[in-house]
Every structure is written in structure tokens, then in C-alpha cells.
């Protein structure tokens, strides 16, 4: 297994050359399809090597599971933490990222958050002294807001008003009740033939709703959750919410700005108390809000924000913030997550800057593998 990495790199290069790169000659065209079966690497593992060894003239069978159990027993007399030993898979090779039918394997990524929080020796942070820029995951905010009662005759214009009020109120809680100078709202985009389509189909299969027209004077559908189960509805809703906030930019304070992306396609809208304009520097065709949030954080720091708060329930956003921490030139970055409970608030601020300082000497880039 000493040459396993070299063998894998060689096979990857060959795979790209034969299946992904445009053939240079007509003779090479059609030789390999992207879906052809991959050849075996023939790298020997512990299961393919000789299974027995001689110990004092006696043949001893090499069983991987028994050896692992014996190592655990030996470790009880050593100083290596048991959690470190148990962090490796009991398997001869790393586990596959794909199932036999070609689907991406998934795991509960939310379990990663407590592990990262445990790297910082501090109590749960429920409040912070100040906030210069607040970045919202737009569709997460929509999900967090209270679902309207069936008896309420609520229009889409009223829902947009509630959304804008929710953004303004939530941001003030992070700045001692004062208005935050920079507000950023980032929406997801739902593109056809997207690689994320498979994951979304699993998520919304149980609550797929019909397509509705989103207009100010139209009453919202009775089943709001089912309405949000349709990607076209969420796209139309994000577009209308973005337009509503721009039309009501007078609600912003004199020294406050609003930057929104994802609701108007690739464009990013910038608004202050008196005007609305396009922001070319943040124009992007990226689909997910997760990655564009990083762009907004970099932009917020470039405009002078020293303390940035990113509100999102998504573990991916925390991982991306840690990976790109050095590009975000702000003194403090907090990841606001959790939900408000019935009797107490379960939200907390996770200090990304402190976690990054702890993990910077290890392997912060490896965290991106968890996004798979």
C-alpha cells in the first residue's frame, strides 16, 4: 500500500484524459465513456495479503478485526486517547463516497458542529458586544419565520413585509439593539440539470407543492410548507422579496446598507436609505447560497466590518467560513445557528475566528471533504 497514492493519482489522470478531455484526433473519439466501468487498481490491502504469519514455529492467522480489538486492549496501557484510535474506520480501504447505484452517500453533517465547538474552551456565547455586518441565509430565514395560520388572510406583500421586519429585528439583537451598518441577504438559486437536484428530490419528495403565482395582492396558499416544497415557488418568492426590500429601502437607517443576491438571477442588488443600484463586484452565477455567503463576507470585511455575523442552520456554511477565514479580513466572525425555543432561545454564536486559530495548524482544508 506504500504506492497507493501514486497509483490513485495515475488512475485519476488517465480517467480525466480518456473520459473528460476533448479527444485530439478522430481516432480517439468514443473510446471511453464517462459511465464505463473503472478498472481495478490491484493495490494490495490487508484483506488481499497473506493471512497468516509464523510466530515461534506456529502459523497465526491474520484477522483484521481481531488485530483491531487487540490494539484497543494494548491502547489501554498507552497514553494515546481512545477517541483518536476510534477515529479511523475499521476497514482495509477508505469508505466509498458513492453507493453501488451511483448515488452520493450522505451522513449527518450536523454532528460536525459540536465537534468543532469542542475545540474552543469557552462557554456557550448567547450575546456578542457588537456587529458591523450581518449576513442572512435568505431561504433559511423564510423557513425560520412563523407559519401563517390558515384563518389569516395574508397576502404575499404582507409576508414580504414580515420578512423584512424579521431581518431588521434579528440583526439588531446582535448589536445591542442598534441598527447594523451592513445587511446581506443571500438566496439559493434553483437551476435545471443541477448536480444538487438528486439531493433536493429526496428532501422535497414528501412535500412537493403546486406552482403558484407570486404577486403582492394574491393571498398566500393555505399550505405554506407545501408551497415552499416547490423550487419554482421559492425562486419566485426570493425574487419578490428582493424587489420588495428594494422598493421599501426607506426603512433602512441613514447609515445602513442592504446587499442582496440570488433573488435577481446573477445580479447583486445594493441599496441604502435613498437609492438602489447594481453591485457588479458580487455578480455571480453560483447556485448555492453557501458559497456566495463567503463572497459577501469578504465584501463586508473589505468595506470595513470588523465583526461579522453569519446566520444559517447549515453546517456547510460553518465549514466554508473556517476554510476561507484567511480571505475574510475581519477581526471576528461569528456563526449564528440554532432556533428559538418555546420557553428559551436555543440560538448561539460560534466563534469561527477562535476555531480557525485552533485548527489552522492541523488540516483545515480537509474539512471541505465533509461537504460531500
Amino acid at each position: 500500500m506504500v504506492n497507493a497514492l501514486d497509483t490513485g493519482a495515475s488512475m485519476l489522470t488517465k480517467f480525466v484524459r480518456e473520459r473528460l478531455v476533448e479527444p485530439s484526433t478522430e481516432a480517439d473519439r468514443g473510446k471511453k465513456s464517462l459511465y464505463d466501468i473503472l478498472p481495478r487498481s490491484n493495490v494490495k490491502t490487508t484483506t488481499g495479503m497473506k493471512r497468516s504469519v509464523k510466530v515461534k514455529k506456529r502459523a497465526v492467522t491474520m484477522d483484521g478485526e481481531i488485530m483491531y480489538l487487540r490494539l484497543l486492549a494494548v491502547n489501554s496501557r498507552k497514553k494515546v486517547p481512545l477517541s483518536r484510535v476510534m477515529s479511523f474506520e475499521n476497514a482495509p480501504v477508505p469508505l466509498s463516497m458513492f453507493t453501488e447505484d451511483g448515488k452520493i452517500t450522505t451522513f449527518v453533517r450536523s454532528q460536525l458542529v459540536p465537534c468543532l465547538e469542542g475545540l474552543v474552551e469557552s462557554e456557550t456565547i448567547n450575546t456578542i458586544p457588537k456587529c458591523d455586518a450581518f449576513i442572512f441565509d435568505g431561504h433559511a430565514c423564510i423557513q425560520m419565520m412563523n407559519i401563517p395560520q390558515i384563518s389569516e388572510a395574508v397576502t404575499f406583500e404582507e409576508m414580504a413585509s414580515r420578512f423584512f421586519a424579521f431581518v431588521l429585528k434579528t440583526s439588531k439583537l446582535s448589536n445591542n439593539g442598534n441598527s447594523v451598518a451592513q445587511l446581506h441577504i443571500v438566496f439559493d438559486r434553483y437551476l435545471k440539470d443541477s448536480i444538487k437536484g438528486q439531493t433536493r428530490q429526496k428532501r422535497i419528495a414528501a412535500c412537493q407543492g403546486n406552482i403558484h403565482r407570486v404577486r403582492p395582492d394574491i393571498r398566500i396558499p393555505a399550505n405554506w410548507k407545501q408551497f415552499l416544497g416547490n423550487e419554482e415557488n421559492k425562486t419566485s418568492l426570493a425574487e419578490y422579496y428582493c424587489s420588495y426590500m428594494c422598493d421599501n429601502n426607506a426603512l433602512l437607517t441613514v447609515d445602513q446598507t442592504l446587499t442582496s443576491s440570488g433573488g435577481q438571477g446573477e445580479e447583486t442588488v445594493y441599496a441604502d436609505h435613498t437609492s438602489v443600484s447594481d453591485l457588479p463586484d458580487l455578480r455571480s452565477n453560483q447556485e448555492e447560497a453557501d458559497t456566495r455567503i463567503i463572497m459577501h463576507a469578504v465584501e463586508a470585511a473589505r468595506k470595513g466590518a470588523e465583526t461579522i455575523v453569519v446566520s444559517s442552520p447549515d453546517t456547510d456554511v460553518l465549514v466554508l467560513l473556517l476554510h476561507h477565514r484567511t480571505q475574510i479580513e475581519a477581526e471576528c466572525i461569528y456563526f449564528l445557528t440554532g432556533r428559538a425555543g418555546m420557553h428559551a432561545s436555543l440560538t448561539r454564536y460560534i466563534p469561527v475566528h477562535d476555531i480557525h486559530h485552533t485548527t489552522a495548524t492541523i488540516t483545515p482544508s480537509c474539512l471541505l471533504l465533509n461537504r460531500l
Side-chain angles (χ1 to χ4, degrees), residues 106-323:
T106 58
F107 71 103
V108 183
R109 284 176 288 187
S110 59
Q111 296 178 354
L112 182 63
V113 176
C115 296
L116 293 174
E117 288 184 275
L119 297 175
V120 181
E121 297 180 359
S122 63
E123 297 181 355
T124 302
I125 303 175
N126 297 318
T127 59
I128 57 175
K130 69 168 186 174
C131 175
D132 301 316
F134 202 115
I135 304 176
F136 290 90
D137 183 332
H139 281 107
C141 289
I142 294 174
Q143 297 287 352
M144 290 169 61
M145 293 175 60
N146 295 328
I147 299 176
Q149 300 295 326
I150 298 178
S151 58
E152 294 184 82
V154 182
T155 63
F156 281 108
E157 184 176 10
E158 292 176 28
M159 288 300 297
S161 176
R162 293 183 184 185
F163 176 83
F164 200 8
F166 174 84
V167 168
L168 295 175
K169 179 180 178 181
T170 304
S171 60
K172 287 182 178 180
L173 296 177
S174 300
N175 199 34
N176 292 321
N178 301 317
S179 298
V180 177
Q182 297 185 46
L183 293 177
H184 294 255
I185 304 175
V186 186
F187 293 98
D188 283 308
R189 299 176 63 213
Y190 299 92
L191 307 178
K192 295 182 179 179
D193 302 324
S194 168
I195 194 172
K196 293 288 291 185
Q198 173 184 307
T199 304
R200 292 198 183 108
Q201 287 302 322
K202 290 182 180 179
R203 189 182 306 161
I204 66 177
C207 58
Q208 180 71 38
N210 298 323
I211 299 176
H212 293 262
R213 296 181 63 187
V214 177
R215 290 180 53 182
D217 55 340
I218 295 180
R219 182 177 176 177
I220 64 172
N223 194 329
W224 183 249
K225 184 176 180 180
Q226 191 178 60
F227 167 81
L228 295 177
N230 188 287
E231 294 182 357
E232 292 190 33
N233 291 338
K234 288 195 285 189
T235 300
S236 301
L237 192 67
E239 182 179 358
Y240 175 64
Y241 279 10
C242 185
S243 300
Y244 178 88
M245 290 185 292
C246 292
D247 293 339
N248 293 270
N249 59 327
L251 295 175
L252 299 172
T253 59
V254 177
D255 56 349
Q256 193 173 41
T257 62
L258 172 68
T259 307
S260 179
S261 67
Q264 304 285 349
E266 298 182 4
E267 296 181 359
T268 296
V269 181
Y270 178 82
D272 56 21
H273 182 69
T274 58
S275 63
V276 178
S277 61
D278 182 30
L279 190 62
D281 292 344
L282 288 182
R283 183 182 179 87
S284 172
N285 61 357
Q286 295 182 56
E287 178 181 6
E288 291 193 67
D290 301 356
T291 51
R292 277 187 290 109
I293 282 176
I294 305 303
M295 295 174 57
H296 282 254
V298 173
E299 178 69 11
R302 188 183 67 82
K303 291 185 176 180
E306 296 182 358
T307 302
I308 299 175
V309 175
V310 177
S311 175
S312 174
D314 200 336
T315 305
D316 290 348
V317 177
L318 175 59
V319 171
L320 288 168
L321 286 171
L322 285 170
H323 180 75

